């Protein structure tokens, strides 16, 4: 046997032994590189062919090619063996099917959103449409059309964020009354939930971004009794029957007569004295309401001799304080999920 032939036989023996000794895929690959890689032993032999007399080169090349072919076959067998071993190992692993699973994190609905949805569901059942409008309004929708002209002191009471001389972040959802009346003719029955903004210092009762639910019903023969009935029904739905609702005379430029609506303080149950939540009155204010002012109807080209209607605007966070017996509105937005998840 030629010298090269003997070298190759020896090399193949060592190659096979190294493969047999390889404990894992990675070691297998290291063996491959050591023999067949760019600087491997076989490659070096191949390079040496150039130093042989020209007549011997073809035979030497053939010998090396045959050896490489055989080595590749052995290598592929070895890697097949490894794969089979991995599969076996995987199959042999025991799985404890009784082991408790890791519960996936699931979201929950924020209580303010739930209040809004429940209130809207109540009105929808009574034939009201739910409408959504812009959070940036021109002063016409927010004030003028609601019977609050430019020099009216009520504008000051809204502490608004003005964006330009005429555009502002809406401080209430009442502009949706105007947008709806402009678009449709009576009868109208809508609720309009959404975000509102006021330049209020944040404390237990105030956020500078909060939510209101606006309601509007316009038709023939609509009166204050309808308003009381609907709002009392809504409170029963949201709070249950243990809480009462009362209407207190008040003033809003866009309603006449106007009322503020209170519900029994959930903390002292109306008992009052020394209650930190209601300040001792026994009542929590939910928002304003009243009969739509004839000036507003006229502005919309609705004849106040024919049509009448009621409107209300309630703070969703206020409804939330009351429903969930929470003592601070900031709790609704401070992302303490353990706390919020309880309030369903
Ligand atoms: N928009 C009023 C506010 O934010 C609340 C309000 C009062 C709305 C009376 C109404 C209403 O629709 O009729 O203070």
């Amino acid at each position: 046997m030629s010298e090269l032939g003997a070298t190759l036989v020896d090399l193949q023996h060592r190659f096979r032994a190294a493969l047999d000794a390889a404990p894992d895929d990675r070691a297998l690959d290291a063996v491959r590189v050591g023999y067949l890689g760019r600087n491997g032993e076989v490659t070096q032999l191949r390079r040496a062919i150039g130093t042989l007399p020209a007549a011997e080169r073809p035979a030497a090349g053939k010998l090396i090619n045959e050896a490489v072919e055989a080595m590749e076959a052995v290598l592929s067998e070895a890697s097949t063996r490894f794969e089979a071993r991995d599969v076996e190992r995987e199959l042999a692993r025991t799985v404890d099917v009784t082991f408790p699973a890791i519960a996936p994190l699931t979201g929950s609905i924020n209580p303010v959103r739930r209040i809004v949805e429940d209130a809207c569901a109540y009105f929808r059942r009574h034939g009201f449409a739910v409408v959504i409008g812009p959070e940036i309004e021109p002063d016409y929708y927010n004030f003028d059309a609601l019977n609050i002209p430019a020099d009216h002191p009520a504008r000051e009471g809204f502490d608004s964020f003005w964006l330009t001389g005429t555009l502002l972040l809406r401080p209430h959802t009442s502009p949706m009354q105007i947008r709806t009346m402009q678009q449709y003719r009576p009868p109208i029955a809508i609720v309009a939930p959404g975000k509102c903004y006021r330049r209020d210092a944040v404390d237990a009762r105030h956020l500078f971004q909060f939510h209101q639910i606006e309601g509007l019903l316009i038709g023939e023969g609509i009166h204050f009794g309808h308003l009381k009935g609907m709002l009392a029904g809504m409170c029963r739905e949201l709070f249950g029957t243990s809480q009462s609702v009362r209407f207190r005379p008040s003033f809003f430029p866009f309603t006449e007569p106007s009322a503020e609506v209170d519900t029994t303080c959930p903390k002292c149950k109306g008992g009052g004295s020394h209650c930190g939540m209601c300040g001792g009155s026994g009542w929590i204010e939910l928002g304003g309401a009243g009969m739509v002012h004839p000036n507003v109807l006229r502005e919309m080209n609705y004849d106040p001799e024919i049509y009448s209607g009621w409107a209300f605007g309630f703070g969703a966070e206020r409804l939330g304080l009351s429903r969930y017996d929470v003592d601070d509105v900031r709790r609704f937005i401070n992302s303490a999920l353990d706390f919020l998840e309880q309030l369903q």
Side-chain angles (χ1 to χ4, degrees):
M1 191 189 289
S2 70
E3 195 186 328
L4 176 63
T7 308
L8 285 171
V9 168
D10 168 60
L11 185 143
Q12 287 182 73
H13 275 306
R14 285 189 288 112
F15 181 66
R16 199 184 287 267
L19 289 183
D20 286 344
D24 54 26
D25 271 351
R26 204 183 310 174
L28 202 69
D29 202 51
V31 173
R32 180 189 63 78
V33 171
Y35 285 82
L36 300 168
R38 247 182 342 136
N39 292 313
E41 285 189 44
V42 178
T43 318
Q44 279 169 23
L45 285 178
R46 211 191 279 282
R47 278 195 205 118
I49 293 178
T51 65
L52 296 175
E56 294 176 19
R57 289 181 202 166
K62 191 163 170 260
L63 270 184
I64 294 180
N65 286 346
E66 281 166 5
V68 167
E69 226 169 88
M71 288 165 81
E72 277 171 352
V74 176
L75 177 69
S76 118
E77 251 172 52
S79 59
T80 312
R81 265 202 316 275
F82 266 110
E83 272 169 32
R85 206 171 66 186
D86 286 348
V87 171
E88 252 164 50
R89 233 184 247 155
E90 197 57 34
L91 289 177
R93 220 164 53 169
T94 48
V95 174
D96 180 359
V97 291
T98 65
F99 198 76
I102 299 167
L105 270 182
T106 52
S108 62
I109 292 178
N110 184 282
V112 175
R113 183 177 185 96
R114 191 171 291 275
I115 284 272
V116 168
E117 285 182 359
D118 288 356
C120 288
Y122 164 79
F123 282 101
R124 215 185 263 128
R125 273 206 321 277
H126 288 84
F128 285 62
V130 178
V131 296
I132 305 287
E135 290 170 30
I136 296 175
E137 286 283 15
D139 50 4
Y140 172 75
Y141 288 100
N142 195 74
F143 291 126
D144 301 72
L146 287 164
N147 198 31
I148 314 175
D151 54 355
H152 198 288
R155 285 200 180 202
E156 305 300 317
F158 281 99
D159 289 328
S160 304
F161 289 107
W162 286 89
L163 303 178
T164 68
T166 54
L167 284 178
L168 73 166
L169 286 173
R170 66 178 180 193
H172 58 174
T173 40
S174 299
M176 286 310 292
Q177 294 186 29
I178 303 304
R179 288 187 176 274
T180 311
M181 284 191 270
Q182 253 185 359
Q183 208 177 338
Y184 303 100
R185 303 301 303 168
I188 282 178
I190 57 120
V191 279
K195 292 194 183 83
C196 301
Y197 303 82
R198 285 191 202 180
R199 290 177 30 181
D200 276 331
V202 172
D203 63 22
R205 297 290 169 80
H206 299 91
L207 297 172
F208 56 80
Q209 184 204 56
F210 56 100
H211 297 76
Q212 282 193 341
I213 304 167
E214 192 80 16
L216 177 70
L217 179 73
I218 307 266
E220 291 181 46
I222 304 296
H223 58 73
F224 206 91
H226 297 135
L227 172 65
K228 290 186 84 169
M230 281 304 290
L231 290 183
M234 182 191 81
C235 290
R236 265 199 307 279
E237 175 125 340
L238 295 180
F239 308 137
T241 46
S242 59
Q243 276 172 246
S244 323
V245 183
R246 77 170 180 186
F247 289 69
R248 236 176 334 107
S250 185
F251 171 80
F252 296 100
F254 31 93
T255 41
E256 180 58 36
S258 302
E260 275 174 309
V261 184
D262 302 332
T263 183
T264 319
C265 171
K267 189 156 194 179
C268 64
K269 310 288 178 232
S273 63
H274 307 306
C275 175
M277 186 150 179
C278 61
S281 72
W283 298 92
I284 293 279
E285 184 193 324
L286 299 176
M291 298 305 292
V292 178
H293 198 289
N295 286 353
V296 175
L297 295 174
R298 263 183 227 112
E299 178 73 16
M300 297 293 104
N301 294 318
Y302 289 10
D303 184 349
E305 297 301 321
I306 302 174
Y307 298 112
S308 58
W310 54 248
F312 72 89
F314 282 4
E317 282 80 2
R318 287 296 175 88
L319 294 168
L321 289 180
S322 202
R323 180 180 191 174
Y324 297 115
D325 196 359
V326 170
D327 58 2
D328 192 321
V329 277
R330 288 169 291 194
R331 281 178 169 275
F332 291 133
I333 56 165
N334 74 0
S335 302
L337 297 184
D338 288 351
F339 174 77
L340 290 173
E341 280 166 0
Q342 306 169 70
L343 310 179
Q344 299 302 318

